[in-house]
Amino acid sequence: MVELQLESLFGAEPNEKGGRPKIAVADFPFTIGRSRTCHLCLSSSSISRRHCRLFERDGRTWIEDLGSLNGTFVNEERVEEARPLYDGDLLRLASIVFMVHASDSAAKSSVEWADGRGSDGWRVPDLAF
């Protein structure tokens, strides 16, 4: 069973343990957008009504953009076609950024952290948006 959490990196203050809010994704497909019919509804005008979709394929979580105006990005690469998500990936929907925590993946993200801490570090590389 694929387990995935999306950790909000911006706009949310860390709790007393230093963690940030995490959204558990348990059912697939999982849509993200501004519409109330989406599994995760983000009330930002930069997010399309149906922005992107997470789904399972071959025991991994994949993401695809659903024709959003402001784009879906993984590690600052625009998602042009469906691609797998890895533990530690940075997922950006317009200007909203999440860190992916995936237990289905033996492979780690290719994100290069500014201070060399790796995917468990908190310092996010400069993001151009």
Side-chain angles (χ1 to χ4, degrees), residues 63-114:
I63 187 164
E64 69 178 336
D65 185 81
L66 297 175
S68 67
L69 181 63
N70 293 315
T72 300
F73 299 82
V74 176
N75 303 327
E76 285 309 295
E77 293 179 17
R78 190 174 192 121
V79 175
E80 301 288 346
E81 58 186 45
R83 64 176 284 174
L85 288 173
Y86 296 101
D87 187 58
D89 278 347
L90 292 179
L91 172 61
R92 178 167 65 86
L93 312 176
S95 61
I96 298 173
V97 182
F98 298 95
M99 179 179 284
V100 174
H101 296 280
S103 66
D104 62 329
S105 167
K108 295 288 185 184
S109 168
S110 62
V111 171
E112 292 183 21
W113 294 89

Side-chain angles (χ1 to χ4, degrees), residues 31-35 37-38 47-53 65-68:
T31 56
I32 303 172
R34 217 175 56 239
S35 172
T37 62
C38 291
I47 300 295
S48 297
R49 285 184 188 98
R50 289 180 35 86
H51 199 96
C52 66
R53 175 178 82 107
D65 185 81
L66 297 175
S68 67

